[in-house]
Amino acid sequence: MSGILLITGASRGIGAATALLAARRGYRVCVNYRANADAAAEVVARIAEEGGEAVAVQADTGRESEVERLFTTVDKQLGPLTALVNNAGILFTQCRVDQLDEDRIRRVLTTNVVGYLLCAKHAVLRMSTAHGGAGGAIVNVSSAAARLGSPGEYVDYAASKGAVDSLTIGLALEVAAEGIRVNAVRPGIIHTGIHADGGEPGRVDRIGPNLPMRRGGYPEEVAEAILWLLSDQASYITGTFIDAAGGR
Ligand SMILES: NC(=O)c1ccc[n+]([C@@H]2O[C@H](COP(=O)([O-])OP(=O)(O)OC[C@H]3O[C@@H](n4cnc5c(N)ncnc54)[C@H](OP(=O)(O)O)[C@@H]3O)[C@@H](O)[C@H]2O)c1
């Protein structure tokens, strides 16, 4: 038994791949999602078929009342939380900063930054030895965009991921003596549906051949890095980053 893991945004893409791999490694998994109940149920069913245990829980991670319900559901249905993967992230159609509108900026920051902070808060309340917990691990899914800035595509999204990197460092130092390790994975360009949300479903195939490794990445490759950071094999590692970006 590896522990009890909550993954936000696990109905598809990197979150779903992480849920499947985590279950294979012995975690009991909470598959959080916002809207696509069928996709989340499919992830849970695949885990069950392989002999694992998972539950799907709907919650918008950008709202604290829903985050509280999410964590309480994990407490009741799976038991004491030992790990969190902050993964639920969004972006919108590619554009320049001079074309952004306030509503979009607020939506991106609410899910990608406020949501990560709220989930981190409720995980720390459960896992920190200062709160009577037994310790644990958090992995934040950031992005190479935090380093690259995404000019002409989504600077709002890149800025949100820069905030995730700062959150990772600050929280890691804050809870290092309380039994919790906090790290981040920064994926590059990965084959998931998020690029269609940006208005370019074929983005990975356009950019992939120009990357140092001459291809885009796969969600399963990112999941491997996440699971390693969560594992006891990474027991002396906190406040750091793994770039899963094919050399970029
Ligand atoms: N794919 C890439 O190239 C890439 C590169 C770098 C970083 N990343 C990061 O990796 C993470 C996962 O990306 P992905 O490509 O796997 O994305 P994806 O395929 O678009 O999946 C996003 C997931 O997040 C969920 N979600 C969105 N907003 C949510 C909210 N407010 N509350 C709860 N769940 C929410 C979605 O659930 P519903 O479908 O039910 O709404 C879905 O399960 C994101 O943080 C993203 O920024 C991705």
Side-chain angles (χ1 to χ4, degrees):
M1 182 60 65
S2 301
I4 293 164
L5 168 63
L6 165 59
I7 307 170
T8 66
S11 57
R12 67 178 200 179
I14 292 166
T18 304
L20 286 161
L21 186 61
R24 281 180 204 136
R25 301 266 167 91
Y27 285 93
R28 303 168 76 202
V29 181
C30 175
V31 174
N32 159 251
Y33 66 100
R34 179 187 51 188
N36 197 338
D38 289 346
E42 205 172 301
V43 174
V44 169
R46 281 184 63 187
I47 289 172
E49 273 168 29
E50 295 184 12
E53 186 177 348
V55 295
V57 182
Q58 189 283 332
D60 180 345
T61 54
R63 295 170 184 269
E64 186 159 24
S65 58
E66 300 197 20
V67 169
E68 279 176 340
R69 175 174 52 74
L70 170 63
F71 277 79
T72 305
T73 306
V74 172
D75 296 337
K76 287 181 189 154
Q77 295 194 7
L78 294 177
L81 190 75
T82 63
L84 165 69
V85 177
N86 258 327
N87 169 77
I90 58 169
L91 50 73
F92 293 103
T93 315
Q94 295 170 8
C95 72
R96 290 166 46 97
V97 169
D98 53 19
Q99 297 169 310
L100 287 173
D101 63 71
E102 182 183 348
D103 178 61
R104 163 181 165 150
I105 297 168
R106 289 193 188 283
R107 286 169 70 184
V108 167
L109 295 178
T110 298
T111 296
N112 296 8
V113 182
V114 177
Y116 276 42
L117 282 162
L118 289 173
C119 290
K121 168 187 169 179
H122 288 277
V124 168
L125 283 171
R126 284 161 175 77
M127 300 192 306
S128 166
T129 53
H131 293 290
I138 297 173
V139 171
N140 294 320
V141 181
S142 176
S143 172
R147 295 184 280 110
L148 301 170
S150 306
E153 291 191 319
Y154 12 72
V155 172
D156 53 345
Y157 169 83
S160 76
K161 294 302 185 178
V164 169
D165 286 5
S166 299
L167 149 65
T168 301
I169 294 165
L171 181 61
L173 298 177
E174 198 166 282
V175 298
E178 298 172 21
I180 305 176
R181 295 183 300 103
V182 185
N183 293 289
V185 172
R186 288 190 293 220
I189 297 179
I190 311 299
H191 287 275
T192 75
I194 203 169
H195 306 289
D197 295 343
E200 189 186 356
R203 183 168 177 266
V204 185
D205 294 327
R206 174 174 64 84
I207 298 175
N210 300 320
L211 297 174
M213 288 183 72
R214 303 281 185 263
R215 67 172 178 87
Y218 291 92
E220 293 76 14
E221 295 178 293
V222 180
E224 289 283 356
I226 294 170
L227 263 295
W228 182 75
L229 283 171
L230 289 180
S231 75
D232 288 343
Q233 281 68 46
S235 55
Y236 200 52
I237 294 170
T238 198
T240 194
F241 303 86
I242 293 180
D243 288 313
R248 189 154 87 144

